Amino acid sequence: MAEAEATAGRLSLYSYWRSSCSHRARIALNLKGVDYEYKVVNLLKGEQSDPEFVKLNPMKFVPALVDGDSVIGDSYAIALYLEDKYPEPPLLPHDLQNKALNHQIASIVASGIQPLHNLTVLRFIDQKVGAGEGVLWTQQQIERGFTAIENLIQLKGCAGKYATGDEVQLADVFLAPQIYAAIERTKIDMSNYPTLARLHSEYMAHPAFVAALPGRQPDAPSPS
Amino acid sequence: MAASKPILYSAWISSCSFRVRIALNLKGVDYGYRAVTRTDLDYEKINPIKYVPALVDGDFVVSDSLAIILYLEDKYPQHPLLPQDLKKKAINLQIANIVCSSIQPLQCYAVIGLVDGKLGSDESLQIVRNYTDKGFKAIEKLLEGCDSKYATGDEVQLADVFLAPQIHAGVTRFQIDMSNYPLLERFYKAYMEIPAFQVAAPEKQPDAPASPY
């Protein structure tokens, strides 16, 4: 599955079309205007357990970014790596408080919502509680997290065109895939989260975000 | 306005709070400690998200341990927790995120599930051990061949700040056999000799009960 060394100087991203963590990395790469090679890891076929991939990321998660001899197997670490290596346009503001707010929103998604409904956890819930229970579980996790983020954004009064102002920032990179998946896959009722619903419309109109959508990826199934 | 010391809203047993306490101590930042319990309704006014820890710095409130620590990293540059080298910085962030996204939230789910009666005690422990083992094994692999004092060098860095509380919880509460993770076991022994870590330990906090475990 893993091919020979990437073309010199070109980054590779190991990704699955539907993985919201991979989706984050794709957005970040697009925002920074970084060309990359897309390497498919089919999670449903278990390709994350292929020995070559496990060598790259022992957690067996996508995404993984390969840049020369650097391998980074975590979307948060990837985003901050890209932020350092390709400073324009910046994803983090200089203002320490706004910067912290971006990290807080990103962390609610990355630690508080997504890990509680990823594939491995859903399989556990389906096994333990009952087949199909994973859907209800996912809804609950998302609703809890979205309530927290909606409240936080409203409390801070920070939203502009995007989550923390009029420029796309780190919070948006993490929010967009989570909101997209919530709407498309979990059919969350977004009327309880008016800011998040509005942000979704903004993301769906931004070229860097659109190009990163699951359905646009090389491994997305052809529309039926 | 006179600068006042930051206030940390924390719970003694919270490993997320433990991380921030370590970071504050390493940077030599004096702070006020406010204990929060799960049923604390007043806390919601400080932090509507209701999670601990939260840091109040003047009129600014920030929650989530990674966000707080990165804020401290900017505001108090002494004892930097992130290296300049991008590759080393990335591995620190990756390890921190394995802990804070792939181990701790599942541990939290298992513990709360037990407390709320949704999970049996064996089940709860099994979940904790399963996710701890997966994360710890992966970190051992990532750091294979490491011969430095701590995870990514001879100075304590972000990865260490996240690892110490996770290992401590594993050892004190969930009977994790650290001999399965020789690097982490070695690091943990080194961490617990550092005053900044010792003083931050759950059992040393003002709200720790007399018989903690």
Side-chain angles (χ1 to χ4, degrees), chain A residues 49-70:
Chain A
S49 299
D50 285 354
E52 286 301 309
F53 185 72
V54 177
K55 261 193 230 149
L56 288 179
N57 189 3
M59 281 301 285
K60 302 192 235 181
F61 286 160
V62 281
L65 185 79
V66 179
D67 184 10
D69 63 351
S70 288

Side-chain angles (χ1 to χ4, degrees), chain A residues 30-220:
Chain A
N30 292 350
L31 285 168
K32 299 283 187 183
V34 174
D35 183 35
Y36 66 94
E37 196 172 345
Y38 190 102
K39 305 270 215 179
V40 177
V41 182
N42 189 326
L43 301 183
L44 294 187
K45 287 189 182 165
E47 286 178 357
Q48 66 274 35
S49 299
D50 285 354
E52 286 301 309
F53 185 72
V54 177
K55 261 193 230 149
L56 288 179
N57 189 3
M59 281 301 285
K60 302 192 235 181
F61 286 160
V62 281
L65 185 79
V66 179
D67 184 10
D69 63 351
S70 288
V71 182
I72 306 168
D74 175 81
S75 61
Y76 213 127
I78 289 171
L80 295 186
Y81 176 83
L82 294 173
E83 178 70 354
D84 277 334
K85 193 170 177 186
Y86 307 97
E88 296 300 326
L91 296 177
L92 286 169
H94 290 302
D95 173 70
L96 292 199
Q97 297 189 4
N98 199 348
K99 194 176 181 182
L101 181 58
N102 270 277
H103 281 303
Q104 187 174 340
I105 293 169
S107 294
I108 293 175
V109 174
S111 298
I113 308 179
Q114 191 279 340
L116 293 167
H117 70 75
N118 68 20
L119 211 55
T120 41
V121 173
L122 286 183
R123 282 179 180 149
F124 169 77
I125 297 286
D126 274 349
Q127 262 172 32
K128 181 201 149 11
V129 185
E133 284 301 312
V135 176
L136 179 61
W137 169 262
T138 300
Q139 247 176 332
Q140 290 167 341
Q141 302 314 311
I142 292 174
E143 283 169 356
R144 201 173 43 85
F146 279 10
T147 300
I149 297 171
E150 182 75 28
N151 288 349
L152 177 64
I153 290 176
Q154 289 196 18
L155 178 77
K156 297 277 186 177
C158 57
K161 184 171 185 187
Y162 299 106
T164 61
D166 291 330
E167 302 296 326
V168 168
Q169 310 246 254
L170 191 79
D172 302 295
V173 173
F174 280 71
L175 280 173
Q178 187 68 67
I179 300 171
Y180 182 84
I183 292 172
E184 291 299 316
R185 297 176 69 180
T186 317
K187 316 292 182 200
I188 294 288
D189 178 1
M190 294 300 291
S191 62
N192 290 325
Y193 320 107
T195 312
L196 301 185
R198 179 178 68 70
L199 291 175
H200 175 72
S201 321
E202 294 293 352
Y203 302 146
M204 293 301 279
H206 189 302
F209 286 75
V210 171
L213 286 172
R216 298 284 182 109
Q217 303 317 303
D219 55 332

Side-chain angles (χ1 to χ4, degrees), chain B residues 18-149:
Chain B
F18 189 179
R19 297 168 196 159
V20 176
R21 299 191 298 252
I22 291 169
L24 285 160
N25 293 347
L26 285 169
K27 292 183 177 281
V29 176
D30 187 25
Y31 66 97
Y33 188 101
R34 298 285 185 276
V36 180
T37 62
R38 208 180 157 209
T39 51
D40 211 325
L41 294 173
D42 283 342
Y43 182 58
E44 202 167 347
K45 294 189 204 100
I46 301 291
N47 182 16
I49 317 298
K50 297 187 270 191
Y51 304 156
V52 282
L55 189 82
V56 178
D57 191 8
D59 57 359
F60 173 59
V61 183
V62 53
S63 179
D64 187 86
S65 61
L66 182 60
I68 296 171
I69 292 170
L70 293 178
Y71 172 78
L72 294 174
E73 181 71 352
D74 276 334
K75 192 169 177 189
Y76 307 99
Q78 63 272 29
H79 200 307
L81 297 174
L82 284 171
Q84 296 292 323
D85 174 73
L86 293 198
K87 198 173 161 180
K88 272 199 165 157
K89 191 175 181 180
I91 192 114
N92 269 280
L93 286 161
Q94 184 174 348
I95 291 171
N97 274 281
I98 290 173
V99 172
C100 72
S101 295
S102 299
I103 308 178
Q104 194 280 339
L106 283 314
Q107 174 181 298
C108 200
Y109 154 72
V111 169
I112 291 178
L114 177 65
V115 166
D116 291 350
K118 291 187 178 132
L119 294 170
S121 61
D122 283 348
E123 221 166 11
S124 172
L125 190 58
Q126 197 204 350
I127 292 168
V128 174
R129 286 180 166 172
N130 176 52
Y131 286 99
T132 302
D133 182 60
K134 183 182 180 193
F136 282 6
K137 276 209 173 93
I139 295 168
E140 287 280 323
K141 268 281 161 205
L142 283 173
L143 297 179
E144 206 164 34
C146 171
D147 58 1
S148 52
K149 192 168 184 191

